Amino acid sequence: MTGTRFSKGQSGNPKGRPRKVRPNVSAFDVIFDRTLTVTQNGLERELTVDEGLQLQTYQAALKGSRMAIRHVLRMIEKREAALAKRDPPKPKPVKMEIEHDADNADAAMLILGIAGHGEALPGGGPATRPLLIATWAAQAAISRPGRRHLDARAVEDIERLVANPGKLRWPRGRGQ
């Protein structure tokens, strides 16, 4: 019979039976959405199943259950991670480092009047002119509060240098 509705070898339902549509909701989600009535301290409260399980876990952790303690710690970590993701930490201030250059310090002391150039040393040009600390600056440094008292040897060295400013080296065995 050629006058039929379907030709031979061709299905009347080429796409097949439609698949059953299932919602993307797990059984746990359905259960967690339900509410419970809980009596706490004589007051009735409505909690979701999830909140009720968390409350039981907290109570078990307080009683000393190690599994419950671990679970509570994991919940705290997840909460901290979520908070950190929502509110990222503020950037730390940039640390500034200051490099001290002896030539800059010499120039600053000259500008502030703390030091002045002495006479040129023999055999040299302007680079051999030593810096001499002003008397007021030396006195201020020596009389500062909280200072260590100078011993007799240091006083002798200072007096010798004041008497002979051209000789600015410390005696052997003494640091500068």
Side-chain angles (χ1 to χ4, degrees):
M1 273 196 211
T2 58
T4 63
R5 191 168 150 193
F6 301 107
S7 45
K8 188 174 183 179
Q10 187 175 7
S11 168
N13 187 6
K15 293 183 180 177
R17 182 177 180 168
R19 295 189 179 260
K20 190 175 182 181
V21 178
R22 293 185 179 177
N24 285 338
V25 179
S26 71
F28 287 112
D29 290 336
V30 171
I31 292 172
F32 283 159
D33 286 340
R34 293 193 178 163
T35 59
L36 304 169
T37 304
V38 179
T39 305
Q40 257 186 329
N41 300 330
L43 299 173
E44 287 189 359
R45 284 179 47 190
E46 290 224 355
L47 300 175
T48 63
V49 173
D50 188 30
E51 291 172 335
L53 289 173
Q54 285 180 1
L55 183 63
Q56 279 188 332
T57 305
Y58 293 142
Q59 289 171 347
L62 290 173
K63 290 179 183 175
S65 169
R66 289 185 181 198
M67 289 290 287
I69 291 170
R70 272 189 244 141
H71 189 72
V72 168
L73 290 175
R74 272 191 240 118
M75 288 190 315
I76 291 170
E77 286 177 6
K78 285 181 184 178
R79 181 179 182 273
E80 292 295 323
L83 289 175
K85 195 174 190 179
R86 189 181 74 190
D87 298 327
K90 295 176 184 173
K92 294 181 181 178
V94 176
K95 183 179 178 183
M96 294 182 63
E97 293 185 21
I98 299 171
E99 184 177 322
H100 298 286
D101 185 6
D103 293 335
N104 289 343
D106 290 350
M109 288 195 299
L110 289 169
I111 291 170
L112 295 172
I114 296 172
H117 283 296
E119 294 181 18
L121 296 176
T128 61
R129 290 178 59 193
L131 282 181
L132 299 177
I133 304 296
T135 306
W136 68 267
Q139 288 173 347
I142 291 171
S143 65
R144 73 188 189 285
R147 75 190 190 307
R148 282 188 354 217
H149 292 285
L150 299 174
D151 60 3
R153 185 171 176 190
V155 172
E156 289 173 11
D157 288 341
I158 292 169
E159 287 173 351
R160 183 179 41 78
L161 290 173
V162 169
N164 189 1
K167 189 176 180 184
L168 292 175
R169 301 201 184 276
W170 287 95
R172 287 188 183 187
R174 297 279 304 227
Q176 287 182 319

